[in-house]
Amino acid sequence: MYLSRVRINKDIHTSMKFLGSLQVMHATVESCFAPDDASRKLWRLDYFHGQPYLLVFSQQQPDFAHLVEQFGYVGDAGESRNCHKLFQMLANGQQYRFRFCGNPVHSIKEGTRDRGKVVPHVTVPQQEDWFRTKSEGAGFVPESFAVVQRDIKKFTRKGKLVTLHTAVFEGILRITDAEQFRQTLCAGIGRAKSYGCGLLTLGRL
């Protein structure tokens, strides 16, 4: 697995289209890989001192050349890190800083329908409880964390308006099941993974 990132040049006109559309971001991420690569790619848009970065977690190393040509800085090829050594080092009891962007939702049963209606959690306490619940069976325990950013994004998909509620969580976690935690990192957490949710990234304390 590779964790990669590339800077987005927010000062050029074409990047406004990229930064303003989850669908364009999703399509752009997919364009960084071979057409026959159907594997899951997790991604997230982060800002550091006002500079937007696209982070991508994937089985294959992405090629950012086309993305940089449209939305990046000339000569900046991005950077990638093979996560194999990190994965091998993960062990029960270890603590890490983390950052995670999720789509906190729950299902409400309606009448006789087999599938409930998916509705968002809209308050911070609800979103925090959702994250605690998602961590159960995921191989880690969030020991301390906070919701540091919330957003509502709207776009049209297949002729229907989609409203996506997102929340960014930051804090400290402790690994309780290293093997399950590795699977969680690769699979992502929650829904809306095609639209910038699900990626959990780690940092040392």
Side-chain angles (χ1 to χ4, degrees):
M1 300 295 293
Y2 292 86
L3 181 62
S4 310
R5 74 172 190 173
V6 63
R7 294 182 301 164
I8 304 300
N9 187 349
K10 61 184 176 61
D11 295 322
I12 57 177
H13 177 71
T14 52
S15 290
M16 295 301 100
K17 180 180 179 181
F18 177 87
L19 295 170
S21 172
L22 292 176
Q23 291 172 302
V24 172
M25 289 187 204
H26 168 66
T28 302
V29 169
E30 290 294 332
S31 74
C32 296
F33 299 88
D36 60 349
D37 183 356
S39 63
R40 168 74 67 186
K41 294 94 176 173
L42 300 173
W43 62 272
R44 186 176 76 221
L45 185 70
D46 274 353
Y47 284 81
F48 185 70
H49 296 314
Q51 169 64 56
Y53 286 86
L54 176 69
L55 277 69
V56 181
F57 189 59
S58 55
Q59 292 183 15
Q60 305 298 323
Q61 186 173 353
D63 179 358
F64 288 132
H66 183 60
L67 181 153
V68 169
E69 182 181 343
Q70 291 185 293
F71 312 117
Y73 292 88
V74 176
D76 181 6
E79 54 187 323
S80 294
R81 183 178 67 175
N82 191 319
C83 296
H84 176 74
K85 288 185 178 180
L86 171 62
F87 271 41
Q88 294 303 309
M89 291 172 55
L90 296 175
N92 294 356
Q94 290 179 340
Q95 292 179 304
Y96 289 92
R97 290 185 295 107
F98 75 88
R99 182 176 174 87
F100 167 70
C101 180
N103 172 223
V105 297
H106 63 294
S107 181
I108 296 178
K109 187 71 173 178
E110 288 189 326
T112 59
R113 293 177 56 183
D114 292 334
R115 299 180 62 183
K117 180 181 179 181
V118 176
V119 296
H121 289 301
V122 296
T123 69
V124 169
Q126 288 175 340
Q127 293 171 344
E128 291 174 340
D129 287 342
W130 171 86
F131 183 65
R132 291 189 188 94
T133 299
K134 283 297 182 182
S135 72
E136 297 173 1
F140 73 95
V141 173
E143 296 202 324
S144 63
F145 70 96
V147 175
V148 298
Q149 180 182 335
R150 305 198 301 154
D151 201 359
I152 300 175
K153 300 179 175 67
K154 297 184 179 183
F155 57 94
T156 301
R157 182 177 64 190
K158 297 181 179 179
K160 294 183 179 180
L161 178 65
V162 177
T163 301
L164 191 68
H165 291 249
T166 63
V168 176
F169 303 81
E170 288 185 352
I172 299 172
L173 61 78
R174 175 171 51 86
I175 299 175
T176 56
D177 184 334
E179 183 55 38
Q180 181 59 55
F181 187 57
R182 293 184 189 99
Q183 295 179 27
T184 297
L185 292 175
C186 293
I189 300 173
R191 299 168 63 96
K193 296 184 180 72
S194 295
Y195 299 104
C197 296
L199 174 59
L200 178 72
T201 52
L202 304 177
R204 296 193 181 278
L205 291 177

